[in-house]
């Protein structure tokens, strides 16, 4: 399968990462064509780190790897939904998910 079609609009594609068994959103990362190819070849997530300027395998330092269950592209072919089996915390802070902070907005029941 050619992966080029996913990278025609942009070199980096956002990847929303979700725990396969619960649907919990764990993190947002970015993939380029090489990281997607490595992910497909190994069955474990590889991303492109914008801050490091290189590919990295999730868990390469912490051991908290993500085993891929499925990858789905959205209707525009410019975002991935990556369902994984997460080993340990997904966030570099040690939290289970990167979305652990208090909401910046939350609708009240009266609204």
């Amino acid at each position: 399968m050619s992966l080029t079609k996913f990278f025609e609009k942009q070199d980096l594609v956002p990847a929303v990462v979700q725990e396969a068994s619960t649907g919990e959103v764990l993190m947002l990362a970015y993939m380029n064509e090489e990281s997607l190819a490595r992910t497909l070849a190994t069955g474990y997530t590889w991303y492109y780190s914008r801050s490091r300027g290189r590919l990295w395998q999730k868990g390469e330092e912490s051991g908290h790897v993500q085993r891929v269950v499925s990858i789905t592209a959205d209707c525009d072919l410019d975002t991935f939904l990556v369902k994984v089996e997460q080993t340990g915390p997904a966030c570099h802070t040690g939290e289970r998910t990167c979305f652990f902070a208090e909401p910046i907005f939350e609708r009240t029941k009266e609204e």
Side-chain angles (χ1 to χ4, degrees):
M1 166 177 56
S2 173
L3 304 180
T4 306
K5 66 183 177 183
F6 301 113
F7 301 94
E8 290 175 356
K9 296 178 188 175
Q10 57 207 13
D11 293 336
L12 294 178
V13 172
V16 178
V17 184
Q18 186 178 44
E19 175 62 54
S21 63
T22 65
E24 180 180 31
V25 176
L26 299 174
M27 57 185 278
L28 172 74
Y30 292 88
M31 295 180 122
N32 64 9
E33 192 167 348
E34 185 180 358
S35 68
L36 179 57
R38 284 193 189 189
T39 297
L40 296 174
T42 65
Y44 289 87
T45 54
W46 284 81
Y47 301 112
Y48 183 84
S49 171
R50 296 176 302 162
S51 60
R52 299 175 197 162
R54 67 171 179 85
L55 294 183
W56 62 282
Q57 183 181 19
K58 177 64 177 161
E60 67 187 16
E61 294 177 15
S62 67
H64 301 150
V65 297
Q66 297 171 337
R67 185 173 165 268
V68 177
V69 173
S70 68
I71 301 175
T72 306
D74 74 342
C75 59
D76 295 323
L77 303 180
D78 61 5
T79 304
F80 299 124
L81 176 61
V82 183
K83 293 185 180 182
V84 302
E85 294 171 345
Q86 176 69 46
T87 302
C91 186
H92 73 281
T93 65
E95 296 288 335
R96 169 104 183 116
T97 171
C98 293
F99 297 97
F100 62 87
E102 292 295 317
I104 57 174
F105 172 80
E106 192 168 29
R107 187 171 308 282
T108 62
K109 292 181 181 180
E110 294 81 42
E111 292 182 280

